[in-house]
Amino acid sequence: MPETTSDIPRDRPPLPRPGRGADKARMDEILRVDHAGEYAAVLIYRAQKAVFEGRKAHGDMVRDLGEMQDQEAVHLARFDRLLNERRVRPTVMTPLWRIAASALGAGTALMGEKAAHACTEAVESVIEKHYADQIAEIGDRDPALAAELKQFRDEELAHHDHAIEHGSREAPAYRLLSGVIKAGCRVAIKVSEKV
């Protein structure tokens, strides 16, 4: 006897329905979430930099944050262009991400340099994995975009490694801080893909 709708367990998600438009819908999700992530990264670094600029003896930190912010701004500009070229709307969560990213940047900077580096390490560890998954997924479908994502991933890894070299793991309550930031990033990724 064939299974009816009422026989399907409610806790099982529906199977994806491939078909016309499925590839475009997935590419839209990828571009939307990557744009949101780069937007948030620029704001995190901007807020951290602003805090450290207001304090003496943080010249190296301000310079490093400025360089990382500039790299993230290049990534963001590229995703801005891709959204326009491919007619993809950004996430509707942008106003919330603006507040959250700025608060995260300022909050970790106020906790000190090591906490700011812990923030970078946590964010970039999630983003690096996220980009690696996307590169594997789209490598055959869109090799040009996959190559760009690889370059961006390499730059994110450099930020991650720089943070570790500068004491990220010596931050107060490092494990808790890192865990909370990583969890927040994962939630933001899932939400930004869809809405």
Side-chain angles (χ1 to χ4, degrees):
M1 175 178 257
E3 198 175 65
T4 65
T5 307
S6 62
D7 297 327
I8 298 173
R10 297 284 179 218
D11 59 342
R12 189 172 76 191
L15 296 173
R17 302 288 183 226
R20 197 173 155 165
D23 283 346
K24 171 153 180 15
R26 179 61 187 138
M27 288 303 293
D28 288 359
E29 289 177 354
I30 288 170
L31 295 177
R32 181 173 22 263
V33 71
D34 290 353
H35 176 268
E38 297 298 347
Y39 176 75
V42 168
L43 293 173
I44 290 168
Y45 287 129
R46 182 182 296 157
Q48 288 178 334
K49 186 175 164 224
V51 169
F52 287 115
E53 283 175 335
R55 299 175 170 185
K56 294 184 180 183
H58 290 282
D60 289 344
M61 186 70 171
V62 170
R63 185 194 68 241
D64 290 348
L65 289 168
E67 289 173 5
M68 290 187 285
Q69 179 186 336
D70 290 346
Q71 278 188 324
E72 303 294 359
V74 170
H75 301 176
L76 176 59
R78 180 59 182 139
F79 285 114
D80 278 337
R81 287 192 304 276
L82 284 166
L83 290 185
N84 286 326
E85 289 167 9
R86 298 187 185 195
R87 298 176 188 240
V88 178
R89 67 162 177 77
T91 178
V92 299
M93 301 301 288
T94 299
L96 179 60
W97 297 159
R98 180 183 312 118
I99 294 165
S102 297
L104 178 60
T108 53
L110 288 168
M111 293 171 65
E113 285 190 17
K114 294 188 187 319
H117 286 307
C119 175
T120 295
E121 180 194 351
V123 169
E124 300 297 16
S125 69
V126 173
I127 298 308
E128 177 277 324
K129 169 125 179 37
H130 173 71
Y131 273 147
D133 291 345
Q134 287 182 343
I135 292 162
E137 180 182 350
I138 69 166
D140 293 335
R141 271 190 298 170
D142 195 334
L145 179 58
E148 284 186 280
L149 295 182
K150 185 186 178 315
Q151 177 189 337
F152 294 170
R153 178 179 174 249
D154 290 344
E155 291 169 0
E156 308 296 359
L157 278 170
H159 299 172
H160 173 272
D161 294 347
H162 179 272
I164 293 172
E165 290 164 13
H166 287 82
S168 63
R169 295 179 179 174
E170 299 164 27
Y174 166 76
R175 284 179 181 241
L176 176 63
L177 181 64
S178 179
V180 168
I181 293 170
K182 287 177 181 178
C185 289
R186 289 184 191 108
V187 168
I189 285 169
K190 289 299 178 195
V191 171
S192 295
E193 280 180 340
K194 303 299 181 187
V195 296

